[in-house]
Amino acid sequence: MIVRIMGEGQWTVADSHFAELNKLDDELLAEMETGDRDGFRRTLCALLDEVRRCGAPLADDALEPSELILPSPDATLDEVRAMLSDNGLIPG
Amino acid sequence: MSGVMKRMGMIFRAKANKALDRAEDPRETLDYSYQKQLELLQKVRRGVADVATSRKRLELQLNQLQSQSSKLEDQGRKALALGREDLAREALSRRAALQQQVTDLETQHQTLQGEEEKLTLAAQRLQAKVDAFRTKKETIKATYTAAQAQTRIGEAFSGISEEMGDVGLAIQRAEDKTAQLQARAGAIDELLASGALDDPTGMAKDDIAAELDRISGGTDVELELQRMKAELAGGGTQQQAIEGGDGSAQDQAQGRTQHKFDKQ
């Protein structure tokens, strides 16, 4: 599966790694919903590190749609919340 | 997976599609479509060429078979002439087999010819369609470009209208400055006229000089008026004066003569 980290690029991640990624992803969502900023920052970094660790980076010129997308490492909880709101990532 | 990753992916895809729809240039799409049609036309033409090549190959084979058949017929005739009926029979039986092949090939040839005609017709139709599409495409592209230009003009106009505010301000400023300069010039004129300010050009006069000028100017006018009045009132007097003048001149001449005689 191809995962994009916004602002960084894409990684091909084998399905076998998804159990761990899923766990972190769910944690991230829960922290976002409860407004736990510290927890959100910590989990986001852990999730991104995990993708970078277990994934193989895709060439920059490769044109592959990403199946999963992760916020950029410096994204704040509010930004991610805004991204997931009705307006989405691209306004309009 | 229902976490952030999945949700972001879904939203991103939905939005990206919308963004792509907006970014898509219909002219490029039309050109791409035209390109595809040309490729299709090329394929059909290649098909026609392939069928035509097969037909020609069949024709060559047919010619060969027919010449072989003629040859066998000749051989059979010669064998009969030489009294070799067995040889003649062999030749004729081979010829019969060849004839069967010829018939089969002729059937194939006809089929191929039919195919070729159909494909040629299809290619011609497709060519006409592609040509028509090209014309339409160019028209659409031109219309789109015009519409785009119109939009740009509209945008430029709205931009200009915004700028007009600035222009208005600039004009206002220029007007203010002009008025200010005019007021200043007026004040300077007054100051120069009153003699409070020295004119570096030396053209301006102080108030006393100005008054003297005014008085002397008035005197000149009075004198001129009197002279003109005198001229108009005494037309005859003037004549007399002229004549009298002449007489006095004569008198003067006479006097001079007298003086001359006196001397003598």
Side-chain angles (χ1 to χ4, degrees):
Chain A
M1 211 174 252
I2 292 168
V3 182
R4 173 179 291 280
I5 298 175
M6 288 176 77
E8 275 189 37
Q10 290 169 299
W11 277 263
T12 309
V13 181
D15 291 352
S16 55
H17 298 289
F18 272 96
E20 179 60 22
L21 289 175
N22 243 335
K23 209 177 125 218
L24 288 167
D25 190 31
D26 288 340
E27 266 178 47
L28 189 70
L29 185 67
E31 283 153 356
M32 201 192 78
E33 282 166 355
T34 55
D36 177 2
R37 289 175 199 278
D38 295 337
F40 172 83
R41 171 81 23 227
R42 204 172 41 244
T43 314
L44 178 62
C45 288
L47 182 55
L48 297 179
D49 285 343
E50 186 64 15
V51 170
R52 291 187 201 109
R53 192 188 61 79
C54 62
L58 215 65
D60 287 340
D61 57 353
L63 276 173
E64 296 288 335
S66 309
E67 284 155 279
L68 300 166
I69 296 174
L70 277 165
S72 55
D74 56 351
T76 64
L77 189 145
D78 293 330
E79 281 169 351
V80 176
R81 196 177 273 163
M83 283 177 192
L84 295 178
S85 72
D86 288 342
N87 286 330
L89 302 168
I90 305 163
Chain B
M1 192 172 290
S2 59
V4 174
M5 283 202 276
K6 184 81 176 174
R7 282 171 63 179
M8 279 189 69
M10 281 166 69
I11 293 168
F12 192 90
R13 268 191 295 281
K15 294 287 177 182
N17 283 339
K18 271 192 197 171
L20 279 175
D21 286 346
R22 273 203 298 273
E24 192 181 32
D25 188 335
R27 289 171 298 186
E28 282 174 18
T29 317
L30 284 170
D31 281 338
Y32 178 76
S33 181
Y34 177 64
Q35 201 57 42
K36 286 282 152 200
Q37 286 187 24
L38 279 182
E39 281 171 21
L40 183 67
L41 182 65
Q42 202 61 35
K43 271 185 193 167
V44 173
R45 279 184 179 157
R46 209 170 289 137
V48 176
D50 287 350
V51 173
T53 311
S54 302
R55 176 179 55 78
K56 278 181 185 164
R57 198 174 293 133
L58 272 185
E59 280 169 7
L60 281 172
Q61 280 179 351
L62 272 169
N63 284 339
Q64 278 177 355
L65 286 175
Q66 273 161 349
S67 68
Q68 275 181 25
S69 174
S70 310
K71 196 178 164 186
L72 284 169
E73 199 183 336
D74 288 346
Q75 282 175 342
R77 200 170 285 120
K78 275 182 189 170
L80 261 183
L82 292 169
R84 289 289 302 272
E85 200 180 323
D86 56 331
L87 270 179
R89 187 168 283 111
E90 179 61 28
L92 287 176
S93 62
R94 281 188 193 175
R95 183 178 171 269
L98 280 179
Q99 277 306 114
Q100 186 56 48
Q101 280 187 47
V102 167
T103 314
D104 290 348
L105 283 180
E106 274 173 352
T107 315
Q108 278 187 43
H109 183 258
Q110 273 175 2
T111 314
L112 275 181
Q113 217 162 17
E115 285 294 314
E116 194 184 333
E117 279 166 14
K118 273 188 206 166
L119 277 173
T120 308
L121 202 66
Q124 281 169 354
R125 278 183 191 157
L126 192 60
Q127 174 77 60
K129 274 188 182 175
V130 171
D131 286 348
F133 181 78
R134 192 186 59 204
T135 313
K136 200 172 174 181
K137 168 180 83 84
E138 291 306 322
T139 314
I140 294 169
K141 275 170 74 178
T143 314
Y144 182 82
T145 310
Q148 211 177 31
Q150 218 164 3
T151 311
R152 279 205 200 103
I153 290 166
E155 282 168 359
F157 261 118
S158 60
I160 285 165
S161 66
E162 278 169 23
E163 278 173 25
M164 282 306 273
D166 296 341
V167 172
L169 279 177
I171 290 169
Q172 186 67 47
R173 273 199 299 275
E175 279 174 354
D176 288 351
K177 201 170 181 182
T178 309
Q180 200 182 347
L181 283 172
Q182 278 170 346
R184 192 159 170 251
I188 288 170
D189 283 348
E190 275 176 29
L191 288 169
L192 282 171
S194 68
L197 205 68
D198 287 332
D199 180 12
T201 60
M203 294 294 284
K205 294 168 182 165
D206 60 32
D207 53 345
I208 299 163
E211 185 61 23
L212 280 172
D213 280 355
R214 196 181 60 77
I215 295 163
S216 67
T219 314
D220 289 346
V221 170
E222 288 302 318
L223 285 171
E224 187 70 11
L225 265 173
Q226 278 175 12
R227 194 182 59 80
M228 284 172 84
K229 277 179 187 170
E231 275 176 15
L232 285 168
T237 319
Q238 197 178 20
Q239 189 62 31
Q240 283 169 2
I242 291 165
E243 282 164 5
D246 285 345
S248 64
Q250 277 171 0
D251 292 344
Q252 280 175 2
Q254 279 169 2
R256 274 200 300 274
T257 315
Q258 275 176 349
H259 290 307
K260 207 174 176 181
F261 286 137
D262 287 346
K263 273 189 180 177
Q264 282 175 348

